[in-house]
Structure formats: structure tokens, C-alpha cells
Amino acid sequence: MTIVRVALPVAVDQPFDYWLPAGLAVHAGHVVRVRLGARRLAGVVLAVDDRSDVAAERMRSIDAVADVDPLPDDVLALCRFVASYYQAAIGLVHALAVPPLARGPARERTVAGAVGLTPAGCTALPALVARAPAARALFERLRDAGELDAGAIAALSPHARRTLRSWIAAGQATTASAARPVGAAQAGRNDAQRVASAAIDGARGGYVPFLLQGVTGSGKTEVYLDAAARAIAAGGQVLMLVPEIGLTPALEARVRAALPGVRVATLHSGLGDGARRRNFDAAACGDARLVLGTRLAVFTPLPDLALVVVDEEHDGSFKQQDGVRYHARDVAVWRAHARGVPIVLGSATPSLETFANARDGRYRRLVLAHRADPRARLPTIVLVPDRDARFADGIGPALRDALARGLARGEQGLVFINRRGFAPSLKCASCGWDAQCVRCSARLVLHRHPPGLACHHCGHRERVPPACPSCGNVDLLPQGFGTQRLERHLRALFPAARIARIDRDTTRAIGSFDAVRQRMHDRELDLLVGTQMLAKGHDFPRLTTVGVLGADNALYSADFRATERLCALLMQVAGRAGRAEHPGEVIVQTDFPDHPVYAALRAHDYDAFAARLLEERAAAGLPPVTHVALLTGEAHDRLDVERFLDAAHDAARQAAQDTGVTVYPPVPALMARRAGLERAQMLVQAARRAELSQMLPAWHAALRQLRGRKVRWAIDVDPAGF
Ligand SMILES: [Zn+2]
Ligand SMILES: [Zn+2]
């Protein structure tokens, strides 16, 4: 009997054995359909064997082999690495690499005579089709597929062919055979950009990690695209990872415009299963030459992989926060190393991990010190007291005047605060009571649209009480400012201005963020108010005034990465101000103008700040100077969590013997209660990565033996914060 060892998407560390029915043939990497208990699951074949420890009569057979190409050896090796490095269940890791399995035939081959978009179409059409659903659907299909044949076009809608004819007439689409071949269009690059892309190109064929550090607006994307064009022209495929592609369709359009004739495949959670499967297949069979995707795309099979790019490598969204807690940037580095190809990590504000690697010579550093547009200068940063603003509905006199001046010149403004809702708390003026979530150790946020109190951690909502529940006083006061309150105040200050708000409450509907971005770009808006969604890579040439509110809050955070993140965020936000010939001004309201984070911002000197932070981390024994893993536990009963973590602490000390790993005692989590669960955590720390890798498997094995059934726990290697 042939036994097949299958990794299934369940939180179990072992694969499951099935027997192979006659007539089916599989090998490692095949995706198979099986039953587990009452469930039907798809899993990945890890090995084929002729014997099993499972009794034959208890073993089930494979139901079917899925219609998807087997995962290649290098992706299987990548999964093994991720499972071992992050102490994650083998089946959950492999599930990350399996594409959506379609019921019917999933593959759609393109034929000669197909139609594709031209660079001009990629640039112009998104705005033109924004309000025409049928044309927009056609555009998105063409964009995702690269090209479509006559049959596929006719099947889309009765008017699709007519629309397409008008696009061809306007030069926005073309028969694909006429698409131009790849050539690196390097016109308009400055010396620093040319030096950087030549260095990356020169590393082709071997593993070389690069840090591409460039100030906002310095043209990092052009460097990626030039390097990608050369790698593709030489027969390679390029993997480009970006944070939250849903927020950056502009980047996608630029990639397509810069690489005419190249099939680009996008992979992110915003795509439907069908599109994701088509794009996965295109990458895996080598048709797509560039894959643009979010963290999950790091597992995509790429037979001709020649270059990896991680844009905004410092961004927190590359780290998965549940399930398999991998960091896509670090996995990408491992993959580039295993495949022997260069990798480019790009950022204006590199993570301290990457910064330290570059400083110590493990990564090659490429610097873009100036903005790409020679007319553009970095914005002036002005620090003004925040306390003046508290009596003026959040916006102090300096920011108010700067916005007014900009509006009078016909320029645009942006006000940034990292808090959505109306006010971050509701307080009784008489007894000091404030509205707390019943399920979390957190304050409830006051909202006006729709009205009510909301918990931003567990989603709990309740009505605003008519009087203080503690003393009966009816004078309940909103404390502090959120985006809704600022929007209301801006409307009162500038009644003639056209104002829009961007936060998670206003952008739930797909495409609504794009629509606002487009209106801002078309100068149909004067002022934007919003959260950090505004921080990332949007260029508005008429945006000159940026206000930053509430940044001081991060200085109170207990999380060791809070100031690193604040600095990155502030530099990103400030980078929105002043492009092209219009100089920018950034007004930051702070009561701590001497704090190093603001000094760095004002001097546009991230390096000095990062070097100083690294010294602090070294003194405190924190990452990246040390290597840590965090064990988190949560349960309804605090006693259950404490017992579990005490036992875990004993087990850690045992596992750490003779390894050089330091074991810290359990402490309450930063948020000690969330969604009704009591939470605690403990840390293990090592000076060398190898020491931690030696200790973790033994500790993990011991944890699995603990009777902690009521406790939900997880090991987080290289945690985002604690
Ligand atoms: Zn009260
Ligand atoms: Zn809550």
C-alpha cells in the first residue's frame, strides 16, 4: 500500500497519513483533497512512503488530486523553514502556499490576437472608468490578466468590444502582439538612481541583500522598476512585495506603465478567488514576469525568480499577527538567499533590524539623498505647542493660519491624527468616571456617525449614557480629538473649503479610498483629514500644508518599538507635503519639542535617530541587538492564564539550560484584558539567534504537554512589539 503524508491546514504539528487509491499518482508538493473527521480539506503532500504508524483499518484514502500544479521544491523548502523558524504548525504554513482551488477548470490560456492595455491606458483609464462599473470591470480584467482573447472579451459584457474599440482608437489598448518588448526606459533618472539600479543589476545571479534608503519623493520606485526591467529582459521573474496593495493601486499602474509588454500578476486579499488563482497560475507557470503582492505573495512559486523587492520594508503589515506569525520581509530575505538572487529592501525610514544589518556590512546600502524632482525641496518642519490647541477644538492657531494661507493660494492641506471617531474618551466632569469597555482594559471611543460608544479593540458598541452611571451628573465631556471631531471643526473654520475624511469608518466600501484620492488629485478637494492611511505614498502636487496632531500619544506607549514607528510615520506624513515646485510646510503640535524623535524629523535626519535608538536597544537588551520570542496566553479566568504561564516559565528554564537563553517571568500583556479574555505573556531572549533556535523546539514541545486546554497560547518569534 502506498502511504501519502499530507500537511493539513489545522493547528497540529504533524502531517497526516492517507493511502493512495489505485490510479492516482502523487509526489511531494501535490495538493490533494482529503477528509479529516467530518471535514473536507485540501492539503499538501510532504512525502510518499510504503509504511505508516497509523493502523491500516483506521486510515482513510486520498479523495482526489486537486487541479493545480504541484508546489515546487523551493517553496516546500521555504515552508519547512517558516514552520521551524517561527515554531508554526507545518500544515498551517503550507496552507499559505496553496492557491484558491476552483471547482471548475481554473486555467485560462491566452491566445494570439489577444488585446492588452498600453502604458497610456494603464495611466489614464483608472480615472476614466472610476464611475462606469462595466468599463471598470473590463479594465480590471485586462489589467489582471495582462491580455484577453476575443472569446473572453465577448463573455464579459455585450458592450465590452465597443468599449475596447474606443480604447484602441485612443491608444489606451492594443492587440498584444503589438505591445512593445521590454526595454529599460531610463530617461529622467538622476545619478543616484542610476548608480543604485546599476548596483542591483550588477548583483544578478547571486544573493546580495541591498538596503535602498531614499528620502520621501526620492524615486525609489524608479530604481526598483529599472532593476526589474533588466532582470526581466534577461529572462528572469521579479517578486515585488508591498504593504497593503489595496491602498496603492497607483503603484500598480506605474509598474504596468513602466514595463509595457510584461505580464504583471497581482496577488493580495482584495482579489476574488478566481483572479487570485489565475494570477497564481500565471506566476507558477512563468507567464507572469512580475508578481506584485502583499505579504502572502512571498510564497508564490516563481520558476525563473531573479530579483526580490520589498517596498516600505519597515511597514508593520509585513508581520502576520495571528496564525503563522511570519514576517514577509524576513521570509523574503531567506528565499532570496536560498535561490541565490539579489533582494532590495526599500524605505525612507528602515526598520532598526535592516538599519543594523546595513551598518554592520551584512547588507549593501544604496542611498537616495535628494528628491527626484530637482525643483522639490524637503518640507519645513515647524513644532508648535499642543496645549494651545486643546482649547481650540484640536487645531491650534499656527496650524489654522498655515491652512488658511495655503487655501488662499489655491493649495491643498492635510490634517493627520492617528485616531478615528469623534473623541477618544467620554468623561464625567464631576466624579472623573470615564467610559470603559466591559470586555477590554481600554476606553470606549465616542463616535458621532453613527452615534455611540465603540471599542476599537473588540468591536463592542453601546449607546451614550444620558448621565454619568457613577454619580448621575449629566455633564459628560468628550476628551481629546478624533478624525470626526476634527472634520467638524475644519468645516466650521473653513466653510468654503471642500473637505473629506479618510479613516477606516469612511473607507469600508471597496474603492471609496481610491475615489477620494482621485478627487484630491483632480483638485476637487481642498482639505483631507484622516488617519495613517494617508501616510503612504500618495503624491498630490498641490498639497503644501500638513498638520500632525496627537503624535505625543506614542511617547507614552510601553511598547519598545513605539518611537521607531512614530518616527517612520511622521517622516512618511511629512513627506506628503511639497512636491514639484510648491514648497511644503509641516506643522507638528507637540508639548515635547526637545524629544529626539522631533529633532530627527526637523533635521530630516533619520540615521542619527536610528543610531541613537540602536544604542538604547543595546543598553536595554532589546531587538535587534538581541533575539526574542514571546509567549502569549489568554483565557476567561485569570487564574488559568497565571497557572499556565507559571508552568511555561518552569519549562522555559529547563529548556534554556546551557543554551545562554535568558528567561523572563510572566507579566500581564500590554492590554491585560481584551474581548473578555485575560491576557499575560513571557519573554525569552538570547544574544545570538542560534541560541534561541536551539532552545525553542524543546520549550515548544514541553508547552504542548501542559494541561492548558482552557488557555489559548502562541509563541511569537521576533514579535512586532511587547
Ligand atoms: Zn460622575
Ligand atoms: Zn473592547
Side-chain angles (χ1 to χ4, degrees):
M1 190 159 68
T2 306
I3 308 298
V4 181
R5 214 139 280 152
V6 183
L8 291 177
V10 291
V12 174
D13 294 288
Q14 303 304 320
F16 294 81
D17 285 1
Y18 290 84
W19 57 269
L20 187 69
L24 287 184
V26 297
H27 59 74
H30 266 117
V31 180
V32 293
R33 296 180 189 277
V34 298
R35 279 159 294 167
L36 181 71
R39 287 194 288 170
R40 289 171 185 279
L41 299 170
V44 178
V45 174
L46 297 185
V48 179
D49 204 343
D50 53 8
R51 40 173 308 180
S52 169
D53 295 335
V54 182
E57 63 274 16
R58 292 185 48 222
M59 202 185 299
R60 290 165 133 178
S61 76
I62 299 273
D63 289 339
V65 180
D67 173 34
V68 55
D69 287 336
L71 300 179
D73 287 347
D74 74 307
V75 172
L76 294 176
L78 188 69
C79 291
R80 281 196 300 275
F81 161 75
V82 168
S84 128
Y85 184 93
Y86 292 102
Q87 296 293 308
I90 188 98
L92 294 180
V93 176
H94 282 80
L96 297 172
V98 174
L101 301 175
R103 301 234 166 263
R107 256 163 254 205
E108 193 179 281
R109 296 284 175 200
T110 50
V111 297
V115 176
L117 295 168
T118 63
C122 290
T123 314
L125 285 172
L128 296 174
V129 301
R131 293 187 186 100
R136 188 179 163 139
L138 174 61
F139 168 76
E140 286 170 354
R141 274 299 297 274
L142 269 176
R143 188 191 59 187
D144 293 339
E147 52 190 59
L148 291 176
D149 61 276
I153 292 161
L156 266 180
S157 94
H159 306 297
R161 255 189 289 197
R162 202 175 57 199
T163 309
L164 211 46
R165 271 201 298 273
S166 73
W167 291 356
I168 292 174
Q172 289 155 340
T174 177
T175 54
S177 55
R180 280 184 287 133
V182 189
Q186 288 212 45
R189 308 293 195 248
N190 60 35
D191 286 349
Q193 287 174 315
R194 271 193 293 270
V195 166
S197 59
I200 298 162
D201 191 44
R204 196 164 354 110
Y207 167 70
V208 181
F210 292 97
L211 162 60
L212 177 63
Q213 190 179 350
V215 297
T216 51
S218 62
K220 292 186 290 293
T221 307
E222 284 76 16
V223 175
Y224 307 147
L225 292 175
D226 288 348
R230 287 169 173 171
I232 292 166
Q237 281 177 300
V238 176
L239 172 64
M240 191 163 172
L241 299 180
V242 294
E244 301 173 61
I245 202 167
L247 299 179
T248 55
L251 175 62
E252 190 183 334
R254 278 170 78 186
V255 170
R256 291 179 190 278
L259 302 171
V262 171
R263 182 156 178 197
V264 176
T266 54
L267 285 169
H268 55 87
S269 55
L271 292 175
D273 279 359
R276 245 177 78 199
R277 176 60 192 275
R278 272 194 306 277
N279 294 354
F280 176 93
D281 285 345
C285 75
D287 275 357
R289 304 314 286 176
L290 189 143
V291 168
L292 180 65
T294 47
R295 62 172 181 252
L296 195 65
V298 76
F299 294 99
T300 312
L302 293 157
D304 303 321
L305 181 65
L307 173 68
V308 182
V309 174
V310 183
D311 188 27
E312 306 291 356
E313 65 85 31
H314 65 277
D315 196 278
S317 70
F318 286 121
K319 169 81 174 172
Q320 179 143 313
Q321 300 289 356
D322 52 18
V324 180
R325 294 163 191 241
Y326 68 102
H327 198 301
R329 174 198 64 216
D330 298 343
V331 174
V333 170
W334 192 89
R335 189 173 187 191
H337 183 262
R339 288 288 295 262
V341 301
I343 179 168
V344 182
L345 309 178
S347 178
T349 53
S351 64
L352 285 194
E353 279 74 8
T354 300
F355 185 85
N357 278 325
R359 187 195 60 180
D360 300 344
R362 285 184 295 271
Y363 291 179
R364 275 178 65 186
R365 188 159 178 250
L366 305 167
V367 177
L368 306 178
H370 304 288
R371 288 193 156 180
D373 186 333
R375 296 168 301 173
R377 259 168 276 133
L378 288 167
T380 311
I381 312 283
V382 184
L383 304 177
V384 299
D386 191 44
R387 64 184 85 82
D388 294 356
R390 256 170 246 151
F391 309 101
D393 261 334
I395 294 173
L399 177 55
R400 182 196 61 211
D401 295 348
L403 288 171
R405 282 195 305 272
L407 289 173
R409 289 192 302 263
E411 295 165 0
Q412 294 170 314
L414 183 161
V415 180
F416 167 89
I417 185 164
N418 217 2
R419 280 185 163 160
R420 65 192 168 90
F422 186 81
S425 75
L426 184 68
K427 198 169 177 128
C428 169
S430 165
C431 76
W433 169 90
D434 63 1
Q436 295 274 342
C437 178
V438 289
R439 309 174 67 213
C440 306
S441 41
R443 288 200 187 101
L444 291 173
V445 176
L446 180 64
H447 282 247
R448 284 279 163 91
H449 318 283
L453 292 166
C455 175
H456 287 184
H457 302 281
C458 72
H460 167 79
R461 293 191 72 97
E462 59 184 69
R463 292 203 318 204
V464 178
C468 172
S470 170
C471 75
N473 171 30
V474 292
D475 195 13
L476 296 178
L477 298 176
Q479 298 282 305
F481 306 93
T483 46
Q484 292 177 358
R485 192 172 189 180
L486 286 178
E487 181 191 12
R488 191 182 71 164
H489 186 54
L490 283 170
R491 287 187 192 283
L493 279 178
F494 306 111
R498 297 159 301 175
I499 299 174
R501 171 164 61 91
I502 291 275
D503 57 30
R504 236 180 325 136
D505 298 317
T506 62
T507 56
R508 285 225 169 84
I510 291 170
S512 56
F513 183 64
D514 282 349
V516 172
R517 207 169 49 87
Q518 194 60 47
R519 283 169 64 206
M520 188 74 174
H521 202 269
D522 297 344
R523 302 180 62 188
E524 291 171 20
L525 288 173
D526 302 306
L527 287 178
L528 271 184
V529 52
T531 57
Q532 64 184 8
M533 294 178 83
L534 287 175
K536 287 172 191 164
H538 310 292
D539 283 355
F540 305 116
R542 297 291 290 187
L543 173 63
T544 54
T545 312
V546 169
V548 178
L549 279 61
D552 285 347
N553 292 317
L555 303 179
Y556 300 115
S557 171
D559 187 330
F560 79 98
R561 278 192 224 268
T563 46
E564 177 187 350
R565 278 197 286 256
L566 175 64
C567 191
L569 187 60
L570 288 176
M571 288 199 165
Q572 293 284 337
V573 175
R576 299 305 117 224
R579 293 292 172 100
E581 70 271 34
H582 304 284
E585 185 178 26
V586 180
I587 314 276
V588 182
Q589 296 188 173
T590 171
D591 290 329
F592 303 93
D594 298 329
H595 192 283
V597 75
Y598 296 120
L601 182 68
R602 197 160 42 180
H604 302 286
D605 188 355
Y606 181 74
D607 287 7
F609 179 68
R612 183 193 166 112
L613 270 187
L614 269 180
E615 277 171 32
E616 285 177 20
R617 299 275 181 89
L622 288 167
V625 182
T626 60
H627 305 276
V628 301
L630 186 72
L631 173 69
T632 55
E634 54 183 30
H636 288 284
D637 191 338
R638 171 146 299 282
L639 214 56
D640 286 332
V641 185
E642 282 171 5
R643 276 200 206 105
F644 172 79
L645 276 165
D646 284 343
H649 183 245
D650 290 342
R653 288 166 56 116
Q654 200 115 64
Q657 264 173 17
D658 308 318
T659 60
V661 173
T662 308
V663 176
Y664 289 94
V667 292
L670 284 182
M671 182 175 274
R673 199 168 128 83
R674 189 168 70 192
L677 295 172
E678 305 292 336
R679 308 162 76 230
Q681 62 191 35
M682 62 165 287
L683 199 66
V684 296
Q685 174 211 62
R688 274 179 291 277
R689 163 73 54 200
E691 298 169 339
L692 198 60
S693 314
Q694 189 194 340
M695 176 265 183
L696 284 177
W699 186 33
H700 196 183
L703 289 176
R704 284 193 291 265
Q705 303 300 318
L706 293 179
R707 294 181 191 282
R709 295 197 64 126
K710 292 183 201 155
V711 179
R712 204 162 61 184
W713 58 271
I715 292 179
D716 191 350
V717 179
D718 306 333
F722 52 82

